[in-house]
Amino acid sequence: MLRRCTICGERAVARAAPGRRYLCAKHYAEHFERRVARTVEKYKLLRGVERLLVAVSGGKDSVALLHALHRLYGDRVELVGLTIDLGIEGYSSPQVEAAKQNFEALGVEYRVVRLSKEYGFTIDEASRRRKLVRRPTCSVCGIVKRYIMNSVALEVSADAVATGHNLDDLSLFTLMSIAQGRVDDLVKLAPRTERAGRLVSRIRPLALVSGKETLTYVVVLGAPFHHENCPHAPSDGLRPKLSAMLEALEDSVPEFRRMMYTNIVSNLLPRITRPAEVETQTCMVCGMPASGKTCSFCRIRLRLVESGKNRVATSSLRG
Ligand code: SF4
Ligand code: ZN
Ligand code: ZN
């Protein structure tokens, strides 16, 4: 049966929560942008932000982020795009391509950082050599992305970095942190983290919209995005199980994730004080904030790059 938009009577393309009204493409896009704008206002995400680095992987969430920010604030905040080529075979190139297409379509100035070219290793390599790196691949990838986002933000003098974490991601990380007793880590999941020395402020304007909503938005806009899953995404373990559990819970208790996340942000986060020693030192290799003498990024890079050089030296000696 053909559904009509409850606002204008045009052909409906999606239902919008809360209220679950049927909406046409134009009114769905406006509805989504209103939700993002409310999040920005509620948590004062753009307070003091004149120049904003927008991290775009090329997936649906970050593409939705870029378009919503551009449409809502493009006339008053200077947006600079960033996309990182992580060197994941069959995955990184189409992602970076999609990100570039969006930057160019919107006329947003952007940077592409190639991990292999600028730092001498790839995520595929970190995965193949995880015993040497001593961390799971996604943990290395998270460190790499945060490091590069921060470095580029400093380079382009951005006041903050915007990332496309949505409500599904944040509610899942919240539960994982609680389940693993890492309650201090919850402060990292706030919609806004303030600048601390050379650590640039981070904002999450999609904190209160779900993955389904970001997908509908980019489809409605006709924006190019890459939708394959990363080959390193864990297919078993706690994370996918908790994610499925949250999905099921949301079906029987609508808005559960939003309620849990907003309650934690308003009632729990203000009571958490991070331990004083966290990232108050300076990395002796790169000068960025670190929790020890060397930052996590440099430790990973040095392990991979130095051992790579040794392997080359050994094989040329053999040759
Ligand atoms: Fe990186 Fe893991 Fe995400 Fe792949 S799934 S992009 S390795 S964090
Ligand atoms: Zn309409
Ligand atoms: Zn460093």
Side-chain angles (χ1 to χ4, degrees):
M1 186 180 120
L2 180 66
R3 299 280 184 183
R4 297 274 164 200
C5 172
T6 48
I7 301 174
C8 70
E10 284 292 315
R11 193 171 71 86
V13 294
R15 288 187 84 178
R20 316 275 293 144
R21 292 177 303 167
Y22 286 96
L23 295 174
C24 67
K26 173 176 176 281
H27 286 117
Y28 185 86
E30 285 177 9
H31 159 84
F32 180 89
E33 288 155 13
R34 257 197 315 277
R35 288 181 82 116
V36 175
R38 268 191 228 128
T39 310
V40 168
E41 281 156 31
K42 182 177 167 88
Y43 297 112
K44 300 185 174 49
L45 300 189
L46 292 178
R47 190 186 53 210
V49 176
E50 288 174 8
R51 195 162 156 82
L52 178 65
L53 185 70
V54 188
V56 179
S57 65
K60 65 178 176 33
D61 299 316
S62 55
V63 167
L65 171 76
L66 177 70
H67 282 268
L69 288 176
H70 186 262
R71 285 160 73 118
L72 289 164
Y73 308 105
D75 56 346
R76 54 193 155 109
V77 177
E78 223 180 315
L79 303 179
V80 182
L82 164 68
T83 188
I84 305 170
D85 184 336
L86 297 164
I88 301 173
E89 206 186 326
Y91 177 74
S92 292
S93 298
Q95 283 236 315
V96 169
E97 209 38 54
K100 281 163 65 178
Q101 283 173 11
N102 283 286
F103 293 138
E104 281 162 19
L106 297 176
V108 170
E109 161 199 348
Y110 67 94
R111 301 276 171 106
V112 179
V113 173
R114 291 188 199 288
L115 190 57
S116 59
K117 185 165 167 241
E118 302 199 20
Y119 296 100
F121 68 97
T122 64
I123 294 299
D124 278 349
E125 207 178 330
S127 174
R128 276 194 302 275
R129 315 189 65 207
R130 53 184 166 273
K131 275 202 188 134
L132 175 79
V133 177
R134 295 179 218 154
R135 278 182 187 272
T137 308
C138 290
S139 158
V140 173
C141 189
I143 291 169
V144 163
K145 287 189 273 199
R146 283 193 294 277
Y147 182 89
I148 294 176
M149 284 189 291
N150 198 63
S151 308
V152 175
L154 290 171
E155 234 171 81
V156 303
S157 307
D159 301 302
V161 183
T163 60
H165 293 102
N166 64 34
L167 181 63
D168 308 0
D169 305 325
L170 295 171
S171 48
L172 176 61
F173 295 149
T174 302
L175 271 193
M176 297 265 297
S177 305
I178 293 173
Q180 294 169 342
R182 295 181 286 106
V183 179
D184 288 343
D185 280 359
L186 289 175
V187 287
K188 294 185 195 162
L189 307 175
R192 173 173 171 140
T193 50
E194 298 299 332
R195 180 162 184 143
R198 283 171 65 75
L199 265 190
V200 178
S201 165
R202 272 184 232 140
I203 63 167
R204 300 184 169 109
L206 305 186
L208 301 185
V209 293
S210 69
K212 272 188 198 148
E213 289 171 302
T214 61
L215 176 63
T216 309
Y217 179 64
V218 287
V219 169
V220 153
L221 292 184
F225 67 100
H226 181 243
H227 44 77
E228 298 295 321
N229 281 338
C230 172
H232 300 299
S235 55
D236 57 8
L238 184 60
R239 195 175 156 148
K241 286 187 183 118
L242 275 182
S243 173
M245 191 199 85
L246 276 171
E247 277 285 332
L249 193 54
E250 185 84 20
D251 284 341
S252 50
V253 188
E255 302 290 304
F256 172 78
R257 283 183 281 211
R258 208 181 314 265
M259 184 188 70
M260 178 181 78
Y261 179 71
T262 52
N263 279 339
I264 285 182
V265 169
S266 342
N267 302 326
L268 187 57
L269 296 199
R271 298 175 194 203
I272 299 174
T273 42
R274 301 211 69 203
E277 73 276 12
V278 172
E279 300 201 335
T280 51
Q281 301 189 46
T282 300
C283 172
M284 62 184 192
V285 181
C286 70
M288 292 294 231
S291 52
K293 283 186 183 156
T294 314
C295 73
S296 313
F297 177 85
C298 286
R299 277 203 298 273
I300 293 166
R301 186 176 68 78
L302 291 174
R303 276 185 194 138
L304 285 169
V305 174
E306 291 304 316
S307 75
K309 277 188 205 149
N310 291 341
R311 280 194 307 169
V312 172
T314 318
S315 60
S316 58
L317 278 178
R318 277 199 211 112

